[in-house]
Amino acid sequence: MSKTVLVSGGAGFIGSHVTVELAQAGYDVVIADDFSNCDETNYKGVCAILGREMPLVTMDFCDAVAVERLFGQWHIDAVIHFAAFKAVGESVQEPLKYYRNNLLSFLNVLEAAKRQGGCNVLFSSSATVYGEPEELPVTERSPRQPATSPYGNTKQMCEDFLRDAVGAYPGIRGVALRYFNPIGAHPSALIGELPRGVPNNLVPFITQTAIGKRECLSVFGNDYPTPDGTCQRDYIDIVDLARAHVCAVARMLDGRMKAGYEVFNVGTGRPVSVLELVTAFEKVNGVKLNWKYAPRRAGDVTAIWADPSLANKELGWRAERSVEETLAAAWAWEKRLAGK
Ligand code: UD1
């Protein structure tokens, strides 16, 4: 009998790609989203890729009654929780908004899992929990650093909520996946990243500059202690990242976990600088990008990349796509949005 996976935030950038991979792997997927930070574009894209209407519940996970109702309506074998605010800068301006939304929604999921007598819970965490790492690459045993933003703090706190719930309530199992920098789009160009307003993240800013929506990309800082002076990150293809979720869900459902709560880095293990990414984008897509150096951005770490060997070994997963393939997919998606 096929298993049902609830995907909160399933209409967003990561959630929509995960929904596609789960459905293609044979899971029944229920998408839940409040559309507070996205429109229906990705939901429609998911249905187009899969060739059928996917179950969709429009709801806010901060509404405990609605979450309880949802768990009563479907038999949820696993839940993947994406529904959260994610703008680092905004979280500094509006910390209470972030704490209320990101913490309460996850508490409601855990309460529902407990009330049901157990559930497999996958939390969408971030490499931001490592702060400015002392050793590179970072492993899951690298220390978490005090968070530098309320956004980062909610990621750490939700990891702890999950760990403690697993420890206290029989039947709840948990996995936290710590994403490095997810980029790209589905190869169909039917789903992708849809930032509202001016993008905060690098790749949407690059594609919007290339298409003419933004005048010029600012490369934040060229005096970092890195080979070319710009920051280094571990850019992970969104479809590769989505597949890690399928592996983690299967591991939970098949009873292959080695502990009730597990944490995995989801990255490539390959550092790429801002300058290298810009150059790779221009080369693979044959476009010239208008960019300039600008001062460092507050809060940015110099360099971070993953040691993904635990996920490689335990999840049987590895990142497969090259950064060039990923940047070609991101560009195809931007062009499709622009109708070009
Ligand atoms: C941030 C968050 C991370 C979150 C991720 C995706 C922190 C410290 N980082 O990662 O938790 O998961 O976003 O939402 O909380 N850059 C430019 N010009 C730009 C934009 C970015 O040069 O216009 C540079 C940045 O300085 C950085 C790199 O590009 O070196 C990547 O930036 P970005 O895409 O914003 O991701 P992070 O800050 O690494």
Side-chain angles (χ1 to χ4, degrees):
M1 212 185 73
S2 74
K3 302 281 188 185
T4 301
V5 184
L6 169 64
V7 181
S8 85
F13 174 45
I14 304 180
S16 58
H17 288 82
V18 169
T19 297
V20 166
E21 297 304 314
L22 283 169
Q24 287 179 338
Y27 292 101
D28 290 332
V29 184
V30 179
I31 300 170
D33 210 297
D34 68 354
F35 294 95
S36 62
N37 198 30
C38 65
D39 61 17
E40 290 207 343
T41 307
N42 277 334
Y43 171 70
K44 287 182 181 150
V46 166
C47 299
I49 293 167
L50 297 173
R52 60 194 148 97
E53 278 295 293
M54 294 298 288
L56 170 68
V57 183
T58 302
M59 58 170 285
D60 177 359
F61 273 74
C62 289
D63 179 348
V65 175
V67 177
E68 194 179 336
R69 200 182 310 123
L70 186 68
F71 272 74
Q73 203 179 342
W74 309 79
H75 179 83
I76 310 288
D77 296 293
V79 49
I80 308 184
H81 186 64
F82 294 110
F85 295 148
K86 62 173 184 181
V88 178
E90 187 193 40
S91 81
V92 176
Q93 309 297 321
E94 295 252 34
L96 300 184
K97 174 178 164 183
Y98 274 66
Y99 287 127
R100 167 167 289 277
N101 186 62
N102 294 9
L103 303 182
L104 192 55
S105 61
F106 195 46
L107 285 176
N108 286 338
V109 167
L110 292 172
E111 292 276 6
K114 176 191 162 208
R115 211 175 298 112
Q116 181 178 276
C119 195
N120 297 291
V121 181
L122 195 162
F123 177 65
S124 142
S125 191
S126 165
T128 194
V129 303
Y130 297 115
E132 179 91 59
E134 274 160 29
E135 275 183 7
L136 287 165
V138 289
T139 74
E140 293 77 359
R141 289 172 307 285
S142 300
R144 292 191 325 190
Q145 310 270 5
T148 52
S149 71
Y151 160 79
N153 210 8
T154 66
K155 291 295 178 195
Q156 297 201 3
M157 291 167 89
C158 286
E159 285 192 356
D160 294 346
F161 291 177
L162 182 55
R163 180 201 61 207
D164 294 348
V166 165
Y169 309 118
I172 298 188
R173 279 172 299 272
V175 167
L177 295 183
R178 291 178 178 158
Y179 314 144
F180 283 69
N181 288 58
I183 61 164
H186 195 265
S188 65
L190 290 168
I191 54 177
E193 203 167 358
L194 272 172
R196 289 202 162 161
V198 183
N200 293 309
N201 298 118
L202 179 59
V203 169
F205 208 104
I206 289 177
T207 56
Q208 289 196 7
T209 306
I211 207 89
K213 267 173 96 175
R214 311 275 154 214
E215 211 170 295
C216 183
L217 167 77
S218 291
V219 171
F220 298 138
N222 63 346
D223 56 352
Y224 284 99
T226 57
D228 65 20
T230 65
C231 295
Q232 293 172 304
R233 295 289 184 272
D234 185 335
Y235 296 95
I236 166 89
D237 182 273
I238 187 67
V239 177
D240 279 338
L241 179 105
R243 289 187 178 154
H245 294 72
V246 179
C247 296
V249 164
R251 180 178 171 91
M252 289 198 279
L253 291 172
D254 298 348
R256 283 185 278 121
M257 291 178 73
K258 292 196 171 145
Y261 173 65
E262 295 181 329
V263 178
F264 297 103
N265 284 342
V266 183
T268 66
R270 176 181 63 204
V272 173
S273 75
V274 177
L275 215 52
E276 286 170 333
L277 199 81
V278 166
T279 309
F281 181 86
E282 291 185 319
K283 192 158 169 226
V284 71
N285 295 315
V287 293
K288 192 88 199 77
L289 202 67
N290 192 20
W291 68 270
K292 62 171 195 300
Y293 284 121
R296 291 183 178 195
R297 181 173 71 175
D300 277 342
V301 302
T302 301
I304 184 164
W305 65 92
D307 176 345
S309 51
L310 191 68
N312 297 162
K313 178 164 168 270
E314 296 295 333
L315 297 180
W317 167 89
R318 66 179 60 247
E320 284 166 7
R321 285 166 187 73
S322 67
V323 83
E324 286 79 13
E325 282 174 272
T326 306
L327 291 171
W331 182 227
W333 163 248
E334 186 69 60
K335 282 195 291 187
R336 184 178 157 262
L337 282 180
K340 289 188 184 169

